[in-house]
Amino acid sequence: MTYQYDTLRAVTWRADQLHLLDQRKLPQEQTVMVLENAPNVAQAIKDMVVRGAPAIGITAAYGVVLAAKAAHATAPDNWQTVIEPDMQQLAQARPTAVNLVWALERMKACFAKITGNPVPTLLEEARRIQQEDIDANHQMGDLGAALLPQGCRVLTHCNAGALATGGYGTALGVIRSAYAAGKVSQVYADETRPWLQGARLTAWELLQDNIPVTVLADSAAAALMLQKRVDWIIVGSDRITANGDVANKIGTYSLAILARQHGVKFMVVAPTSTVDMNLAEGSQIVIEQRAMEEVLTIGGQPMAANGAKAWNPSFDVTPAALVDVIVTEKGVVEQPTTERVAAMMS
Ligand code: MRU
Protein backbone atom coordinates (compact mmCIF):
# COMPACT_ATOMS: atom_id res chain seq x y z
CA MET A 1 0.00 0.00 0.00
CA THR A 2 1.32 3.48 -0.78
CA TYR A 3 0.90 6.22 1.78
CA GLN A 4 0.18 9.79 0.79
CA TYR A 5 2.40 12.42 2.39
CA ASP A 6 5.33 10.01 2.79
CA THR A 7 8.20 11.68 1.00
CA LEU A 8 10.90 12.49 3.52
CA ARG A 9 13.82 10.35 4.74
CA ALA A 10 16.36 11.77 7.22
CA VAL A 11 18.56 8.66 7.50
CA THR A 12 19.73 6.86 4.34
CA TRP A 13 22.47 4.38 3.44
CA ARG A 14 24.09 5.06 0.08
CA ALA A 15 27.23 3.66 -1.54
CA ASP A 16 28.68 2.25 1.70
CA GLN A 17 28.12 5.48 3.61
CA LEU A 18 25.58 6.78 6.08
CA HIS A 19 23.80 9.96 5.01
CA LEU A 20 22.11 12.11 7.66
CA LEU A 21 20.03 15.19 6.91
CA ASP A 22 21.58 17.69 9.34
CA GLN A 23 18.66 18.65 11.61
CA ARG A 24 20.65 21.36 13.37
CA LYS A 25 20.50 23.41 10.20
CA LEU A 26 16.85 23.00 9.22
CA PRO A 27 14.81 24.77 8.01
CA GLN A 28 17.31 27.35 6.74
CA GLU A 29 19.67 24.85 5.12
CA GLN A 30 19.19 21.33 3.79
CA THR A 31 22.62 19.81 4.27
CA VAL A 32 23.52 16.14 4.31
CA MET A 33 26.31 14.87 6.56
CA VAL A 34 28.11 11.82 5.20
CA LEU A 35 29.58 9.44 7.79
CA GLU A 36 32.11 6.68 7.32
CA ASN A 37 32.98 5.55 10.84
CA ALA A 38 31.20 4.69 14.08
CA PRO A 39 32.79 7.31 16.40
CA ASN A 40 31.55 10.04 14.06
CA VAL A 41 28.09 8.46 14.05
CA ALA A 42 28.03 8.51 17.88
CA GLN A 43 29.10 12.16 17.83
CA ALA A 44 26.39 13.02 15.28
CA ILE A 45 23.77 11.48 17.59
CA LYS A 46 25.15 13.42 20.58
CA ASP A 47 25.20 16.67 18.61
CA MET A 48 21.63 16.15 17.34
CA VAL A 49 22.52 16.03 13.65
CA VAL A 50 19.98 13.23 13.89
CA ARG A 51 17.48 13.06 16.75
CA GLY A 52 14.18 11.44 17.67
CA ALA A 53 14.08 8.03 19.39
CA PRO A 54 13.56 5.66 16.43
CA ALA A 55 15.89 7.66 14.14
CA ILE A 56 18.80 7.47 16.58
CA GLY A 57 18.26 3.70 16.92
CA ILE A 58 18.34 3.27 13.14
CA THR A 59 21.39 5.52 12.87
CA ALA A 60 23.21 3.51 15.53
CA ALA A 61 22.39 0.29 13.64
CA TYR A 62 24.08 1.69 10.52
CA GLY A 63 26.91 2.82 12.82
CA VAL A 64 27.43 -0.84 13.75
CA VAL A 65 27.82 -1.67 10.05
CA LEU A 66 30.59 0.94 9.77
CA ALA A 67 32.21 -0.30 12.99
CA ALA A 68 32.15 -3.92 11.79
CA LYS A 69 33.62 -2.95 8.44
CA ALA A 70 36.59 -1.25 10.15
CA ALA A 71 37.03 -4.02 12.74
CA HIS A 72 36.94 -6.78 10.10
CA ALA A 73 39.53 -4.96 7.97
CA THR A 74 42.06 -4.91 10.83
CA ALA A 75 41.09 -8.07 12.72
CA PRO A 76 39.16 -10.49 10.45
CA ASP A 77 39.19 -13.28 13.04
CA ASN A 78 38.49 -11.12 16.05
CA TRP A 79 36.22 -8.33 14.80
CA GLN A 80 33.48 -9.10 17.33
CA THR A 81 35.83 -8.12 20.19
CA VAL A 82 37.50 -5.21 18.40
CA ILE A 83 34.10 -3.64 17.67
CA GLU A 84 33.17 -3.44 21.39
CA PRO A 85 34.46 0.13 22.15
CA ASP A 86 32.49 1.46 19.15
CA MET A 87 29.36 -0.35 20.36
CA GLN A 88 29.81 1.22 23.82
CA GLN A 89 30.29 4.68 22.35
CA LEU A 90 27.15 4.36 20.25
CA ALA A 91 25.14 3.10 23.24
CA GLN A 92 26.22 6.06 25.36
CA ALA A 93 25.52 8.75 22.78
CA ARG A 94 22.16 9.67 24.36
CA PRO A 95 20.59 8.08 27.45
CA THR A 96 16.80 8.50 27.39
CA ALA A 97 15.53 6.93 24.15
CA VAL A 98 15.48 3.17 24.65
CA ASN A 99 15.38 2.62 20.87
CA LEU A 100 19.14 3.23 20.78
CA VAL A 101 20.10 0.22 22.95
CA TRP A 102 17.22 -1.77 21.48
CA ALA A 103 18.68 -1.37 17.97
CA LEU A 104 22.23 -2.13 19.14
CA GLU A 105 21.03 -5.31 20.86
CA ARG A 106 19.29 -6.38 17.66
CA MET A 107 22.48 -5.84 15.70
CA LYS A 108 24.49 -7.75 18.30
CA ALA A 109 22.09 -10.68 18.12
CA CYS A 110 23.23 -11.16 14.48
CA PHE A 111 26.93 -11.50 15.40
CA ALA A 112 26.80 -15.18 16.37
CA LYS A 113 25.52 -16.38 13.00
CA ILE A 114 28.10 -14.44 10.93
CA THR A 115 31.03 -16.18 9.28
CA GLY A 116 33.43 -14.19 7.06
CA ASN A 117 32.69 -10.59 6.13
CA PRO A 118 30.05 -9.25 8.59
CA VAL A 119 29.03 -6.23 6.47
CA PRO A 120 26.35 -7.81 4.21
CA THR A 121 24.50 -9.47 7.12
CA LEU A 122 24.67 -6.40 9.35
CA LEU A 123 23.65 -4.02 6.58
CA GLU A 124 20.66 -6.22 5.82
CA GLU A 125 19.65 -6.11 9.51
CA ALA A 126 20.06 -2.31 9.76
CA ARG A 127 17.95 -1.86 6.61
CA ARG A 128 15.37 -4.24 8.07
CA ILE A 129 15.22 -2.21 11.32
CA GLN A 130 14.55 0.94 9.28
CA GLN A 131 11.93 -0.68 7.04
CA GLU A 132 10.14 -2.26 10.01
CA ASP A 133 10.03 1.18 11.65
CA ILE A 134 8.46 2.72 8.55
CA ASP A 135 5.93 -0.14 8.36
CA ALA A 136 5.11 0.31 12.08
CA ASN A 137 4.57 4.03 11.51
CA HIS A 138 2.16 3.34 8.66
CA GLN A 139 0.28 0.89 10.85
CA MET A 140 0.15 3.32 13.80
CA GLY A 141 -0.92 6.08 11.42
CA ASP A 142 -3.98 4.05 10.47
CA LEU A 143 -4.75 2.96 14.05
CA GLY A 144 -4.37 6.46 15.49
CA ALA A 145 -6.27 8.20 12.69
CA ALA A 146 -9.21 5.85 13.26
CA LEU A 147 -9.57 7.25 16.79
CA LEU A 148 -9.94 10.87 15.64
CA PRO A 149 -13.28 12.52 14.86
CA GLN A 150 -14.08 14.32 11.61
CA GLY A 151 -12.82 17.93 11.58
CA CYS A 152 -10.32 17.21 14.36
CA ARG A 153 -7.99 19.94 15.59
CA VAL A 154 -4.69 18.52 16.83
CA LEU A 155 -1.71 19.87 18.75
CA THR A 156 1.69 18.18 18.66
CA HIS A 157 4.92 18.79 20.57
CA CYS A 158 8.56 18.43 19.52
CA ASN A 159 9.09 16.55 16.25
CA ALA A 160 7.83 12.99 16.11
CA GLY A 161 7.81 12.87 12.35
CA ALA A 162 9.73 11.44 9.40
CA LEU A 163 12.78 13.34 10.66
CA ALA A 164 12.62 11.51 13.99
CA THR A 165 12.04 8.00 12.62
CA GLY A 166 12.83 5.72 9.68
CA GLY A 167 10.16 7.66 7.80
CA TYR A 168 6.49 8.86 8.03
CA GLY A 169 6.68 9.49 11.78
CA THR A 170 4.80 8.40 14.88
CA ALA A 171 2.66 11.35 16.07
CA LEU A 172 3.05 12.99 12.65
CA GLY A 173 2.27 9.61 11.05
CA VAL A 174 -1.14 9.70 12.73
CA ILE A 175 -1.59 13.32 11.68
CA ARG A 176 -0.54 12.48 8.08
CA SER A 177 -2.94 9.52 7.88
CA ALA A 178 -5.80 11.50 9.44
CA TYR A 179 -5.11 14.45 7.14
CA ALA A 180 -5.10 12.13 4.10
CA ALA A 181 -8.49 10.81 5.26
CA GLY A 182 -9.82 14.39 5.39
CA LYS A 183 -10.29 14.24 9.17
CA VAL A 184 -7.95 17.03 10.30
CA SER A 185 -9.07 20.66 10.10
CA GLN A 186 -6.15 22.23 11.98
CA VAL A 187 -2.61 21.23 13.03
CA TYR A 188 -0.91 23.18 15.81
CA ALA A 189 2.78 22.67 16.62
CA ASP A 190 4.35 23.84 19.87
CA GLU A 191 7.60 25.61 19.07
CA THR A 192 9.28 23.32 21.66
CA ARG A 193 11.87 25.36 23.49
CA PRO A 194 14.78 25.20 23.82
CA TRP A 195 15.82 23.33 20.68
CA LEU A 196 12.75 24.39 18.65
CA GLN A 197 12.00 20.97 17.15
CA GLY A 198 8.38 22.10 16.63
CA ALA A 199 8.97 25.48 15.01
CA ARG A 200 11.96 24.36 12.95
CA LEU A 201 11.38 20.68 12.17
CA THR A 202 7.69 19.77 12.55
CA ALA A 203 6.54 22.91 10.72
CA TRP A 204 9.12 22.34 7.96
CA GLU A 205 8.32 18.68 7.44
CA LEU A 206 4.54 19.19 7.36
CA LEU A 207 4.91 22.04 4.88
CA GLN A 208 7.16 19.82 2.70
CA ASP A 209 4.06 17.63 2.36
CA ASN A 210 1.73 20.64 1.91
CA ILE A 211 0.01 20.09 5.26
CA PRO A 212 -0.80 23.51 6.77
CA VAL A 213 0.52 24.09 10.29
CA THR A 214 0.26 26.82 12.92
CA VAL A 215 3.16 27.26 15.35
CA LEU A 216 2.59 28.54 18.88
CA ALA A 217 4.83 29.37 21.83
CA ASP A 218 4.78 26.48 24.31
CA SER A 219 3.27 28.79 26.90
CA ALA A 220 0.28 29.52 24.61
CA ALA A 221 -1.03 25.94 24.75
CA ALA A 222 -3.14 26.55 27.88
CA ALA A 223 -4.96 29.48 26.29
CA LEU A 224 -5.52 27.45 23.12
CA MET A 225 -7.19 24.71 25.13
CA LEU A 226 -9.21 27.14 27.26
CA GLN A 227 -10.58 28.63 24.03
CA LYS A 228 -11.62 25.11 22.94
CA ARG A 229 -9.48 25.25 19.81
CA VAL A 230 -7.92 21.80 20.11
CA ASP A 231 -9.46 18.31 20.39
CA TRP A 232 -6.46 15.96 20.63
CA ILE A 233 -2.85 16.29 21.76
CA ILE A 234 -0.75 13.79 19.77
CA VAL A 235 2.89 13.16 20.79
CA GLY A 236 5.65 10.58 20.38
CA SER A 237 7.83 9.03 23.08
CA ASP A 238 11.44 8.20 23.89
CA ARG A 239 10.67 5.49 26.42
CA ILE A 240 7.43 4.00 27.75
CA THR A 241 7.77 1.97 30.95
CA ALA A 242 5.90 -1.24 31.78
CA ASN A 243 3.13 0.68 33.60
CA GLY A 244 2.51 3.07 30.68
CA ASP A 245 4.44 6.11 31.97
CA VAL A 246 5.78 8.10 29.01
CA ALA A 247 9.11 9.92 28.67
CA ASN A 248 9.02 12.50 25.90
CA LYS A 249 10.35 15.97 25.08
CA ILE A 250 10.34 18.41 27.98
CA GLY A 251 6.95 20.12 28.05
CA THR A 252 4.94 17.01 27.24
CA TYR A 253 3.94 16.56 30.88
CA SER A 254 2.58 20.12 31.08
CA LEU A 255 0.48 19.44 27.98
CA ALA A 256 -0.93 16.27 29.55
CA ILE A 257 -1.98 18.16 32.69
CA LEU A 258 -3.52 20.92 30.58
CA ALA A 259 -5.33 18.36 28.43
CA ARG A 260 -6.91 16.71 31.49
CA GLN A 261 -7.96 20.10 32.91
CA HIS A 262 -9.62 21.15 29.64
CA GLY A 263 -11.20 17.84 28.54
CA VAL A 264 -8.76 17.46 25.63
CA LYS A 265 -7.73 13.91 24.67
CA PHE A 266 -4.07 12.87 24.99
CA MET A 267 -2.55 10.30 22.57
CA VAL A 268 0.99 8.85 22.62
CA VAL A 269 2.17 7.17 19.43
CA ALA A 270 5.26 4.95 19.62
CA PRO A 271 6.49 1.65 18.19
CA THR A 272 7.05 -1.27 20.58
CA SER A 273 10.82 -0.64 20.23
CA THR A 274 10.12 2.38 22.50
CA VAL A 275 8.48 0.25 25.21
CA ASP A 276 10.94 -0.70 27.96
CA MET A 277 9.46 -3.67 29.81
CA ASN A 278 12.59 -3.78 32.04
CA LEU A 279 11.56 -0.59 33.84
CA ALA A 280 8.49 -0.77 36.04
CA GLU A 281 7.74 2.96 36.08
CA GLY A 282 8.80 6.34 34.76
CA SER A 283 10.77 7.46 37.83
CA GLN A 284 13.44 4.90 36.82
CA ILE A 285 14.12 6.55 33.45
CA VAL A 286 17.42 8.40 33.07
CA ILE A 287 16.60 11.90 31.87
CA GLU A 288 19.24 13.51 29.67
CA GLN A 289 20.49 16.90 30.86
CA ARG A 290 21.73 19.01 27.99
CA ALA A 291 24.04 22.02 27.77
CA MET A 292 23.00 25.31 29.38
CA GLU A 293 23.73 27.10 26.09
CA GLU A 294 20.63 25.55 24.51
CA VAL A 295 18.52 27.61 26.93
CA LEU A 296 20.73 30.69 27.24
CA THR A 297 21.22 31.28 23.51
CA ILE A 298 19.15 31.15 20.33
CA GLY A 299 20.90 30.25 17.06
CA GLY A 300 24.26 30.84 18.77
CA GLN A 301 23.25 34.37 19.90
CA PRO A 302 23.26 35.08 23.65
CA MET A 303 19.70 35.69 24.80
CA ALA A 304 19.64 35.42 28.61
CA ALA A 305 21.31 37.85 31.01
CA ASN A 306 25.06 37.38 31.02
CA GLY A 307 26.03 35.15 33.96
CA ALA A 308 22.65 33.40 34.31
CA LYS A 309 22.72 29.62 34.62
CA ALA A 310 20.18 27.28 33.08
CA TRP A 311 18.36 24.04 33.94
CA ASN A 312 17.92 22.01 30.79
CA PRO A 313 16.38 18.56 31.18
CA SER A 314 15.69 17.30 27.67
CA PHE A 315 12.71 15.12 28.61
CA ASP A 316 9.99 14.75 31.21
CA VAL A 317 7.79 11.85 32.26
CA THR A 318 4.01 11.91 31.88
CA PRO A 319 2.27 9.52 34.30
CA ALA A 320 0.16 6.83 32.65
CA ALA A 321 -2.92 8.19 34.46
CA LEU A 322 -2.84 11.29 32.23
CA VAL A 323 -2.61 9.29 28.99
CA ASP A 324 -5.87 8.46 27.21
CA VAL A 325 -4.34 6.13 24.66
CA ILE A 326 -1.00 4.67 23.60
CA VAL A 327 -0.90 3.64 19.95
CA THR A 328 1.70 1.04 18.90
CA GLU A 329 2.01 -1.07 15.77
CA LYS A 330 0.73 -4.01 17.83
CA GLY A 331 -2.44 -2.20 18.81
CA VAL A 332 -4.02 0.47 20.95
CA VAL A 333 -3.85 0.61 24.76
CA GLU A 334 -6.54 2.80 26.31
CA GLN A 335 -6.03 4.16 29.85
CA PRO A 336 -2.70 2.29 30.12
CA THR A 337 -1.89 0.12 33.14
CA THR A 338 0.82 -2.48 33.73
CA GLU A 339 -1.62 -5.26 32.81
CA ARG A 340 -2.80 -3.58 29.60
CA VAL A 341 0.72 -2.75 28.42
CA ALA A 342 1.81 -6.36 29.14
CA ALA A 343 -1.16 -7.71 27.18
CA MET A 344 -0.32 -5.50 24.20
CA MET A 345 3.36 -6.53 24.26
CA SER A 346 2.71 -10.27 24.56
O1 MRU B 1 15.74 15.57 21.83
P1 MRU B 1 15.02 14.94 20.68
O2 MRU B 1 14.73 15.88 19.57
O3 MRU B 1 15.71 13.67 20.22
O4 MRU B 1 13.64 14.49 21.29
C1 MRU B 1 12.72 13.82 20.48
C2 MRU B 1 11.41 13.58 21.12
O5 MRU B 1 11.18 13.88 22.28
C3 MRU B 1 10.39 12.88 20.28
O6 MRU B 1 9.11 13.29 20.62
C4 MRU B 1 10.51 11.37 20.52
O7 MRU B 1 11.82 10.94 20.32
C5 MRU B 1 9.61 10.60 19.64
S1 MRU B 1 10.15 10.64 17.97
C6 MRU B 1 9.17 9.67 17.04
Side-chain angles (χ1 to χ4, degrees), residues 184-209:
V184 174
S185 65
Q186 177 81 52
V187 182
Y188 292 105
D190 273 351
E191 64 174 353
T192 319
R193 278 284 294 152
W195 214 72
L196 300 175
Q197 286 95 331
R200 297 191 304 106
L201 307 179
T202 292
W204 179 78
E205 97 160 64
L206 289 175
L207 292 171
Q208 291 296 300
D209 279 344

Short mmCIF file of all heavy atoms in Angstrom, two decimals, residues 184-209:
data_model
loop_
_atom_site.label_atom_id
_atom_site.label_comp_id
_atom_site.label_asym_id
_atom_site.label_seq_id
_atom_site.Cartn_x
_atom_site.Cartn_y
_atom_site.Cartn_z
N VAL A 184 -8.63 16.00 9.49
CA VAL A 184 -7.95 17.03 10.30
C VAL A 184 -8.25 18.42 9.74
O VAL A 184 -8.00 18.69 8.57
CB VAL A 184 -6.42 16.79 10.30
CG1 VAL A 184 -5.68 17.91 10.99
CG2 VAL A 184 -6.11 15.46 10.98
N SER A 185 -8.78 19.30 10.59
CA SER A 185 -9.07 20.66 10.10
C SER A 185 -7.98 21.65 10.53
O SER A 185 -7.88 22.73 9.96
CB SER A 185 -10.43 21.13 10.61
OG SER A 185 -10.41 21.24 12.02
N GLN A 186 -7.15 21.28 11.51
CA GLN A 186 -6.15 22.23 11.98
C GLN A 186 -5.01 21.47 12.68
O GLN A 186 -5.28 20.59 13.51
CB GLN A 186 -6.81 23.18 12.99
CG GLN A 186 -5.89 24.19 13.63
CD GLN A 186 -5.64 25.41 12.75
OE1 GLN A 186 -6.57 26.03 12.28
NE2 GLN A 186 -4.38 25.72 12.52
N VAL A 187 -3.77 21.80 12.31
CA VAL A 187 -2.61 21.23 13.03
C VAL A 187 -1.87 22.36 13.72
O VAL A 187 -1.45 23.33 13.07
CB VAL A 187 -1.63 20.51 12.07
CG1 VAL A 187 -0.47 19.89 12.88
CG2 VAL A 187 -2.34 19.44 11.25
N TYR A 188 -1.73 22.25 15.04
CA TYR A 188 -0.91 23.18 15.81
C TYR A 188 0.38 22.48 16.20
O TYR A 188 0.37 21.29 16.55
CB TYR A 188 -1.64 23.61 17.09
CG TYR A 188 -2.86 24.47 16.87
CD1 TYR A 188 -4.14 23.92 17.03
CD2 TYR A 188 -2.75 25.81 16.53
CE1 TYR A 188 -5.27 24.70 16.84
CE2 TYR A 188 -3.88 26.60 16.35
CZ TYR A 188 -5.13 26.04 16.50
OH TYR A 188 -6.25 26.81 16.32
N ALA A 189 1.49 23.22 16.17
CA ALA A 189 2.78 22.67 16.62
C ALA A 189 3.36 23.61 17.66
O ALA A 189 3.59 24.80 17.38
CB ALA A 189 3.74 22.53 15.44
N ASP A 190 3.61 23.07 18.86
CA ASP A 190 4.35 23.84 19.87
C ASP A 190 5.74 24.14 19.33
O ASP A 190 6.38 23.26 18.75
CB ASP A 190 4.55 22.98 21.13
CG ASP A 190 3.40 23.08 22.10
OD1 ASP A 190 2.52 23.92 21.90
OD2 ASP A 190 3.40 22.29 23.07
N GLU A 191 6.26 25.33 19.59
CA GLU A 191 7.60 25.61 19.07
C GLU A 191 8.66 24.70 19.71
O GLU A 191 9.66 24.37 19.11
CB GLU A 191 7.98 27.09 19.26
CG GLU A 191 8.08 27.51 20.70
CD GLU A 191 8.59 28.93 20.87
OE1 GLU A 191 8.99 29.58 19.90
OE2 GLU A 191 8.58 29.39 22.03
N THR A 192 8.41 24.29 20.98
CA THR A 192 9.28 23.32 21.66
C THR A 192 10.66 23.89 22.01
O THR A 192 11.70 23.48 21.49
CB THR A 192 9.41 21.98 20.88
OG1 THR A 192 8.15 21.60 20.35
CG2 THR A 192 9.93 20.88 21.79
N ARG A 193 10.63 24.84 22.92
CA ARG A 193 11.87 25.36 23.49
C ARG A 193 12.55 24.26 24.30
O ARG A 193 11.85 23.44 24.90
CB ARG A 193 11.55 26.57 24.40
CG ARG A 193 11.38 27.87 23.64
CD ARG A 193 12.68 28.49 23.19
NE ARG A 193 13.51 28.92 24.34
CZ ARG A 193 14.84 28.97 24.30
NH1 ARG A 193 15.49 28.62 23.21
NH2 ARG A 193 15.52 29.36 25.35
N PRO A 194 13.89 24.19 24.39
CA PRO A 194 14.78 25.20 23.82
C PRO A 194 15.30 24.90 22.41
O PRO A 194 15.84 25.79 21.77
CB PRO A 194 15.96 25.15 24.80
CG PRO A 194 16.02 23.73 25.24
CD PRO A 194 14.58 23.26 25.29
N TRP A 195 15.14 23.67 21.94
CA TRP A 195 15.82 23.33 20.68
C TRP A 195 14.95 23.61 19.45
O TRP A 195 15.37 23.48 18.33
CB TRP A 195 16.25 21.85 20.74
CG TRP A 195 17.54 21.57 20.04
CD1 TRP A 195 18.80 21.91 20.45
CD2 TRP A 195 17.70 20.89 18.79
NE1 TRP A 195 19.72 21.45 19.54
CE2 TRP A 195 19.08 20.82 18.52
CE3 TRP A 195 16.81 20.31 17.88
CZ2 TRP A 195 19.60 20.22 17.38
CZ3 TRP A 195 17.32 19.71 16.75
CH2 TRP A 195 18.71 19.67 16.50
N LEU A 196 13.69 23.96 19.71
CA LEU A 196 12.75 24.39 18.65
C LEU A 196 12.44 23.30 17.62
O LEU A 196 12.27 23.59 16.43
CB LEU A 196 13.26 25.67 17.97
CG LEU A 196 13.42 26.87 18.91
CD1 LEU A 196 14.05 28.05 18.16
CD2 LEU A 196 12.10 27.29 19.52
N GLN A 197 12.34 22.06 18.08
CA GLN A 197 12.00 20.97 17.15
C GLN A 197 10.65 21.22 16.48
O GLN A 197 10.43 20.80 15.35
CB GLN A 197 11.94 19.62 17.90
CG GLN A 197 13.29 19.05 18.29
CD GLN A 197 13.67 19.43 19.70
OE1 GLN A 197 13.27 20.47 20.20
NE2 GLN A 197 14.48 18.61 20.35
N GLY A 198 9.71 21.87 17.21
CA GLY A 198 8.38 22.10 16.63
C GLY A 198 8.41 23.18 15.56
O GLY A 198 7.96 22.97 14.43
N ALA A 199 8.96 24.34 15.94
CA ALA A 199 8.97 25.48 15.01
C ALA A 199 9.87 25.20 13.80
O ALA A 199 9.53 25.54 12.66
CB ALA A 199 9.48 26.73 15.75
N ARG A 200 11.01 24.55 14.04
CA ARG A 200 11.96 24.36 12.95
C ARG A 200 11.65 23.09 12.14
O ARG A 200 11.64 23.12 10.91
CB ARG A 200 13.40 24.24 13.50
CG ARG A 200 13.89 25.49 14.21
CD ARG A 200 15.40 25.46 14.50
NE ARG A 200 15.81 24.30 15.26
CZ ARG A 200 16.47 23.26 14.76
NH1 ARG A 200 16.81 23.24 13.48
NH2 ARG A 200 16.81 22.23 15.52
N LEU A 201 11.41 21.98 12.85
CA LEU A 201 11.38 20.68 12.17
C LEU A 201 9.96 20.21 11.82
O LEU A 201 9.69 19.85 10.68
CB LEU A 201 12.09 19.62 13.03
CG LEU A 201 13.51 19.98 13.48
CD1 LEU A 201 14.11 18.87 14.35
CD2 LEU A 201 14.41 20.24 12.28
N THR A 202 9.07 20.24 12.83
CA THR A 202 7.69 19.77 12.55
C THR A 202 7.03 20.68 11.51
O THR A 202 6.42 20.19 10.55
CB THR A 202 6.88 19.74 13.86
OG1 THR A 202 7.43 18.70 14.67
CG2 THR A 202 5.41 19.47 13.62
N ALA A 203 7.17 21.99 11.69
CA ALA A 203 6.54 22.91 10.72
C ALA A 203 7.14 22.69 9.33
O ALA A 203 6.41 22.61 8.33
CB ALA A 203 6.74 24.35 11.18
N TRP A 204 8.45 22.53 9.26
CA TRP A 204 9.12 22.34 7.96
C TRP A 204 8.66 21.05 7.30
O TRP A 204 8.29 21.03 6.13
CB TRP A 204 10.64 22.33 8.14
CG TRP A 204 11.39 22.13 6.87
CD1 TRP A 204 11.64 23.07 5.90
CD2 TRP A 204 11.97 20.90 6.40
NE1 TRP A 204 12.35 22.50 4.87
CE2 TRP A 204 12.57 21.17 5.15
CE3 TRP A 204 12.06 19.61 6.93
CZ2 TRP A 204 13.24 20.20 4.41
CZ3 TRP A 204 12.73 18.64 6.19
CH2 TRP A 204 13.31 18.93 4.96
N GLU A 205 8.65 19.96 8.10
CA GLU A 205 8.32 18.68 7.44
C GLU A 205 6.87 18.60 7.02
O GLU A 205 6.57 18.03 5.97
CB GLU A 205 8.83 17.49 8.26
CG GLU A 205 7.86 16.80 9.17
CD GLU A 205 8.32 15.38 9.56
OE1 GLU A 205 9.35 15.22 10.22
OE2 GLU A 205 7.59 14.42 9.21
N LEU A 206 5.95 19.20 7.79
CA LEU A 206 4.54 19.19 7.36
C LEU A 206 4.36 20.04 6.10
O LEU A 206 3.65 19.65 5.17
CB LEU A 206 3.63 19.69 8.49
CG LEU A 206 3.48 18.74 9.68
CD1 LEU A 206 2.67 19.39 10.79
CD2 LEU A 206 2.83 17.41 9.26
N LEU A 207 5.04 21.17 6.06
CA LEU A 207 4.91 22.04 4.88
C LEU A 207 5.55 21.40 3.64
O LEU A 207 5.09 21.64 2.53
CB LEU A 207 5.52 23.41 5.17
CG LEU A 207 4.70 24.22 6.21
CD1 LEU A 207 5.44 25.49 6.62
CD2 LEU A 207 3.31 24.55 5.69
N GLN A 208 6.59 20.57 3.83
CA GLN A 208 7.16 19.82 2.70
C GLN A 208 6.08 18.96 2.05
O GLN A 208 6.10 18.71 0.86
CB GLN A 208 8.27 18.86 3.18
CG GLN A 208 9.53 19.53 3.67
CD GLN A 208 10.22 20.30 2.58
OE1 GLN A 208 10.62 19.75 1.56
NE2 GLN A 208 10.35 21.59 2.77
N ASP A 209 5.15 18.47 2.86
CA ASP A 209 4.06 17.63 2.36
C ASP A 209 2.76 18.43 2.13
O ASP A 209 1.68 17.84 2.00
CB ASP A 209 3.80 16.48 3.34
CG ASP A 209 4.79 15.33 3.15
OD1 ASP A 209 5.45 15.29 2.10
OD2 ASP A 209 4.90 14.48 4.05
#
